[in-house]
Amino acid sequence: MVLKSTTANDISVYQVSGSNVSRSLPEWIAKKRKRALKNDADYQNRVELIQDFEFSEASNKIKVTKDGQYAMATGTYKPQIHVYDFANLSLKFDRHTDCENVDFLLLSDDWTKSIHLQNNRSLEFQVKGGIHYRTRIPKFGRAMVYNEVNCDLYVAASGNEIYRLNLEQGRFMKPFEVEGDLGVNSVDVNPVHGLVGAGLEDGTVEFWDPRAKQRVIKMSVDDGTGFSDSQISCLKFRNDGLNFACGTSNGMSMLYDLRASQPILTKDQGYGFEIKKIIWLDESPATTNKIMTSDKKIAKIWDRVSGKPFASMEPSVDINDVEYIPDSGMFFMANEGIAMHTYYIPALGTAPKWCSFLDNITEELEETPSDTVYSNYRFITKQDVVRLNISHLVGSKVMRSYMHGYFIDTELYDKVNLIANPNALQDEREREIKKRIDKERESRIRTTGAITSTKIKVNKDYVDRLEKKLGTATVEGVVNDDRFKEMFEDPMFQIDEESHDYKQLNPVQSTTNKIPKALTAAEESDEERMRGDNNSSDSESESESESENETVEDKDKNQRQKVKQQLLKKKEQKRKQEELEKEQFLSTMKPLDAVAENSVNSSATRQSLSFGKQVAIKDRINKAEKQKKDGVRVTKNYKGEAEISYIPSKKSKKVDFEQLEDDANDGERRGKNKQTYEGRRRASKNTFRGM
């Protein structure tokens, strides 16, 4: 198993679940398909933290309960609600709704009481048993927040009103009317003093006092981009009662103090998309002064005082919502993919209690090497610095020295490159056009998969051997593959057949290409006859070609003669060796046979022989007697080969006349055993049965 991870500023971010990381198994897959998944690397390497942590198409919102034991998420399609139990790491239940969910709130400490804002202008109150009550609002809702002090539910809608639904009295109260005819995108309540803030479409923020039921102040937000059509897409108060953050539709995040009209810090998200979620990370010492801002592309964590980036989470699909699990380093992410994402950052805190094992496996399952993210920077060498004429920037903050080059901002690089080479864009366009034209010409001249001599510059013999072994089609794919093309083009990959390592790996080599095979006498006569015919038929050719052919033929003939002489010499040596072994074997066996035949039991002979020879003689005598008795004769030659002969013997049968007489008497008593009348017809067609 492998965990996908990214590293920036020495902070590791682990993606525990989500797209390109884990893949759940659909229920409709047959058992045969399930067995085949044992060879699927993606399925085997998955880390399934929570079972069925996904939706059929996409997820909209996700929140964790106050007690930290459950998580509720909404998604589509069909519109449904999922509740996950952390104690069992699985899906507790799911419910379907009539319309897609826009936003929801958890009223209780667990999942039993919740309010859901639907895209059909309705508010659904869900309880433990299901839907409890449904009501509607005049305009399409966009966001909502609950004030626990006065039990008011504030709903921001597309109109110029913030609807107030009092849950204690069970009725709508007089709404807050904002200035202008534009809608309200976001609404939030300060948890310290209850001030209500609303982000409007015209780029302003209004603050309302819930006790006086009137507007306190209206503030215009300048994001510094120069665009007048920017909207306030997100608003979030900090728990200290003084600070709040707002995000715009242009991807700018600004931190404010309620006592000042100018932002303390402005941060650009970098992609130009609207800010969807802002989370103040102040629950633990590791997250002090940290804030998270998210758009649909990336979620960034940075320092609220200095603005220095801390970490980032960038999935492969668009982000809809992000939820932080308090007192930990884990984030849940609802997105446009099937699987919801889970990220774990150990630098922000330990893993939650219900998945404490993540602290032990993150480093073990981390990808090696880990990816390093350099956002908005480009690497250039020293030669590029001289070419761009920016040597005076070396040592400044805009160029960061790294290994044998520098990192420079991408926008700055584009500007200096355009100044140094005004025709860079035109040159690049011409090179691309020429490349495409050459590619089309090549496809018209020959097929792209053909093996040509220009492609194979080295290891041609190896290619020939591969064609004989694997076939031309397979070798074409190997030669034309970009992964192996250097093996047939770069001389550095030339195979040295004379090296010691090559001979160790290939101890047996065919000599057909180096030494010609010796011919027999009949083949030599045929070859001489054919050569004579060829010489007579080619007598009219030029003298130079004849001399060359004769020279080549003489060389081949001399080479074959040498090989023939070497083979004859080896054959003669082998014959002499066999004769020598035969003589040694016979000289060893003759004394034993002579002693065994003359006097085996004589005491003088026993004294002259060693104990080993006496045992060998006795064994030979016993073996010979046994062979004679069994009618089998076994002889061995000097090579160890054995010959077995069977001696046929005819056993004489002794006639027991008394037994015959008794059998005859018994036959008279029992009757006849077989037919004795000649000429009588037999039922069987086999005439040999009666013989």
Side-chain angles (χ1 to χ4, degrees):
M1 297 186 294
V2 178
L3 280 180
K4 185 178 180 181
S5 64
T6 57
T7 303
N9 301 325
D10 296 331
I11 303 298
S12 297
V13 180
Y14 299 95
Q15 185 177 347
V16 182
S17 63
S19 58
N20 300 328
V21 175
S22 64
R23 189 178 64 188
S24 60
L25 186 63
E27 297 180 355
W28 46 265
I29 291 184
K31 293 183 178 181
K32 185 184 294 184
R33 179 71 180 92
K34 292 180 181 179
R35 290 193 296 268
L37 288 175
K38 64 181 181 180
N39 299 323
D40 193 334
D42 293 340
Y43 182 76
Q44 294 294 332
N45 294 337
R46 77 195 190 282
V47 178
E48 194 171 8
L49 183 64
I50 301 176
Q51 187 179 4
D52 298 329
F53 198 61
E54 61 182 19
F55 283 88
S56 302
E57 184 176 344
S59 51
N60 298 328
K61 295 287 183 178
I62 183 169
K63 284 182 174 59
V64 178
T65 58
K66 295 179 182 179
D67 58 5
Q69 299 297 323
Y70 304 94
M72 180 178 286
T74 60
T76 189
Y77 178 81
K78 300 178 179 181
Q80 51 191 303
I81 302 171
H82 287 185
V83 174
Y84 298 93
D85 187 359
F86 293 154
N88 297 318
L89 297 177
S90 62
L91 177 67
K92 186 175 182 63
F93 68 88
D94 59 344
R95 293 175 181 171
H96 288 75
T97 57
D98 295 337
C99 297
E100 189 173 347
N101 192 281
V102 177
D103 195 6
F104 73 93
L105 294 174
L106 293 170
L107 299 179
S108 60
D109 292 340
D110 55 4
W111 58 271
T112 54
K113 295 179 181 179
S114 60
I115 304 176
H116 298 265
L117 177 63
Q118 306 291 336
N119 62 358
N120 64 342
R121 300 187 293 112
S122 63
L123 287 171
E124 284 190 3
F125 293 83
Q126 295 278 346
V127 294
K128 196 171 184 178
I131 183 172
H132 175 73
Y133 182 74
R134 179 185 292 134
T135 185
R136 293 173 69 87
I137 56 178
K139 300 288 185 180
F140 290 96
R142 295 180 178 177
M144 61 181 179
V145 67
Y146 179 64
N147 191 351
E148 297 179 351
V149 177
N150 56 9
C151 298
D152 278 350
L153 177 67
Y154 302 106
V155 182
S158 58
N160 62 343
E161 294 179 339
I162 300 176
Y163 303 109
R164 297 168 54 215
L165 177 61
N166 190 277
L167 302 185
E168 182 181 10
Q169 302 180 20
R171 65 188 182 92
F172 281 98
M173 311 299 288
K174 183 179 179 180
F176 295 155
E177 295 185 5
V178 299
E179 291 185 357
D181 297 332
L182 299 177
V184 182
N185 293 327
S186 178
V187 62
D188 193 28
V189 176
N190 194 304
V192 178
H193 46 68
L195 187 67
V196 178
L200 309 182
E201 290 183 352
D202 58 356
T204 60
V205 178
E206 288 191 2
F207 297 97
W208 289 74
D209 187 354
R211 298 170 297 179
K213 278 65 170 192
Q214 63 182 1
R215 183 186 305 106
V216 177
I217 193 173
K218 181 176 182 179
M219 183 184 67
S220 178
V221 177
D222 184 11
D223 57 5
T225 58
F227 296 99
S228 60
D229 58 345
S230 61
Q231 304 178 13
I232 303 300
S233 59
C234 185
L235 178 70
K236 188 66 177 178
F237 283 101
R238 193 167 180 255
N239 292 333
D240 58 357
L242 294 177
N243 296 302
F244 75 95
C246 59
T248 66
S249 58
N250 296 326
M252 303 298 293
S253 301
M254 288 155 289
L255 306 184
Y256 281 91
D257 192 310
L258 290 175
R259 297 165 294 184
S261 60
Q262 297 298 324
I264 302 174
L265 183 65
T266 301
K267 189 72 173 178
D268 187 3
Q269 195 75 0
Y271 290 97
F273 303 120
E274 66 175 16
I275 303 299
K276 290 192 172 185
K277 190 68 175 287
I278 298 177
I279 301 177
W280 294 88
L281 305 175
D282 292 332
E283 284 78 7
S284 63
T287 60
T288 303
N289 296 330
K290 298 293 189 302
I291 187 172
M292 191 218 72
T293 57
S294 172
D295 58 6
K296 72 174 185 179
K297 183 70 175 178
I298 189 173
K300 290 185 177 181
I301 302 173
W302 41 283
D303 193 284
R304 73 176 184 89
V305 177
S306 61
K308 183 179 179 180
F310 180 78
S312 62
M313 298 168 287
E314 186 175 2
S316 58
V317 292
D318 292 344
I319 301 173
N320 289 331
D321 189 24
V322 181
E323 178 69 6
Y324 172 65
I325 300 178
D327 299 327
S328 69
M330 182 170 289
F331 293 84
F332 289 151
M333 190 176 292
N335 51 74
E336 289 297 324
I338 295 177
M340 290 186 290
H341 288 59
T342 303
Y343 288 92
Y344 176 53
I345 306 177
L348 290 179
T350 59
K353 295 181 180 179
W354 49 270
C355 60
S356 58
F357 56 87
L358 276 181
D359 292 328
N360 300 326
I361 68 174
T362 48
E363 294 183 359
E364 298 177 1
L365 302 181
E366 183 180 3
E367 286 181 332
T368 53
S370 60
D371 299 330
T372 303
V373 178
Y374 300 97
S375 59
N376 301 327
Y377 278 90
R378 182 187 181 95
F379 181 79
I380 59 175
T381 61
K382 295 181 180 179
Q383 292 79 6
D384 296 333
V385 173
V386 176
R387 179 178 59 84
L388 298 174
N389 195 17
I390 54 175
S391 302
H392 60 282
L393 297 178
V394 176
S396 61
K397 295 182 179 180
V398 297
M399 290 183 62
R400 301 180 182 181
S401 178
Y402 183 78
M403 295 180 67
H404 60 281
Y406 306 92
F407 275 110
I408 187 173
D409 188 82
T410 305
E411 296 181 359
L412 179 59
Y413 174 81
D414 295 338
K415 292 179 181 179
V416 297
N417 188 31
L418 185 60
I419 294 173
N421 187 10
N423 299 324
L425 184 60
Q426 184 65 23
D427 295 343
E428 179 65 24
R429 183 173 180 274
E430 292 178 357
R431 284 194 296 269
E432 184 67 22
I433 292 173
K434 184 179 179 182
K435 183 179 178 180
R436 294 186 180 182
I437 292 175
D438 294 341
K439 187 175 181 180
E440 292 179 358
R441 287 176 178 174
E442 181 181 2
S443 63
R444 289 198 300 266
I445 294 172
R446 63 175 182 272
T447 58
T448 56
I451 300 179
T452 60
S453 58
T454 57
K455 288 186 177 181
I456 306 175
K457 297 179 181 179
V458 295
N459 299 326
K460 294 183 179 180
D461 296 337
Y462 180 69
V463 174
D464 296 338
R465 291 196 296 269
L466 286 179
E467 287 184 358
K468 294 179 181 179
K469 185 177 181 180
L470 302 177
T472 305
T474 305
V475 177
E476 285 181 2
V478 174
V479 173
N480 295 316
D481 196 333
D482 294 337
R483 298 174 294 175
F484 313 113
K485 66 178 182 179
E486 292 184 358
M487 182 178 177
F488 307 103
E489 296 178 0
D490 193 350
M492 293 294 292
F493 292 92
Q494 177 67 45
I495 299 175
D496 187 8
E497 298 184 358
E498 301 299 330
S499 63
H500 177 72
D501 296 337
Y502 183 84
K503 291 180 180 179
Q504 290 290 330
L505 296 174
N506 303 274
V508 180
Q509 289 292 331
S510 177
T511 59
T512 55
N513 296 330
K514 297 181 179 180
I515 302 175
K517 183 179 178 181
L519 302 178
T520 60
E523 291 176 346
E524 287 182 356
S525 60
D526 293 340
E527 185 178 359
E528 290 177 357
R529 179 175 54 80
M530 293 176 66
R531 189 182 300 140
D533 297 340
N534 292 334
N535 291 335
S536 60
S537 61
D538 298 339
S539 59
E540 296 180 359
S541 62
E542 297 179 356
S543 59
E544 294 181 359
S545 60
E546 289 178 356
S547 59
E548 291 179 359
N549 293 334
E550 290 176 0
T551 305
V552 174
E553 291 174 357
D554 293 339
K555 289 182 180 180
D556 295 342
K557 185 175 181 181
N558 295 334
Q559 189 70 20
R560 285 195 295 271
Q561 290 295 336
K562 290 180 182 179
V563 174
K564 185 176 181 180
Q565 291 176 2
Q566 291 177 359
L567 294 176
L568 292 175
K569 187 176 180 180
K570 290 182 180 179
K571 188 175 182 180
E572 184 66 21
Q573 291 177 356
K574 185 177 181 181
R575 186 181 62 79
K576 290 181 179 181
Q577 184 69 20
E578 290 179 354
E579 291 180 355
L580 181 61
E581 292 177 356
K582 184 176 181 181
E583 291 177 359
Q584 292 177 356
F585 179 78
L586 294 176
S587 62
T588 305
M589 298 301 296
K590 281 181 179 179
L592 296 178
D593 295 339
V595 172
E597 292 175 359
N598 294 332
S599 58
V600 178
N601 298 324
S602 62
S603 60
T605 305
R606 291 198 206 97
Q607 294 176 359
S608 61
L609 297 177
S610 63
F611 179 75
K613 290 186 178 181
Q614 293 182 27
V615 172
I617 293 171
K618 191 68 175 174
D619 291 341
R620 287 177 61 84
I621 293 173
N622 294 336
K623 193 173 183 180
E625 290 179 355
K626 184 178 180 181
Q627 291 177 2
K628 186 176 180 181
K629 182 178 179 181
D630 297 339
V632 179
R633 182 184 301 167
V634 180
T635 56
K636 295 184 178 180
N637 56 11
Y638 66 95
K639 293 183 179 181
E641 299 176 352
E643 295 181 0
I644 302 176
S645 303
Y646 295 92
I647 304 173
S649 60
K650 185 176 182 181
K651 296 183 180 180
S652 59
K653 296 183 179 180
K654 296 181 180 180
V655 181
D656 191 355
F657 294 97
E658 295 180 358
Q659 184 68 27
L660 291 176
E661 185 176 358
D662 294 340
D663 293 341
N665 295 331
D666 292 340
E668 291 178 358
R669 289 192 299 268
R670 292 192 303 267
K672 297 180 180 180
N673 293 331
K674 66 178 182 178
Q675 186 174 355
T676 57
Y677 298 100
E678 298 295 336
R680 187 175 178 179
R681 291 184 60 188
R682 295 180 175 86
S684 176
K685 295 182 180 180
N686 189 355
T687 57
F688 294 96
R689 291 185 61 181
M691 297 178 64

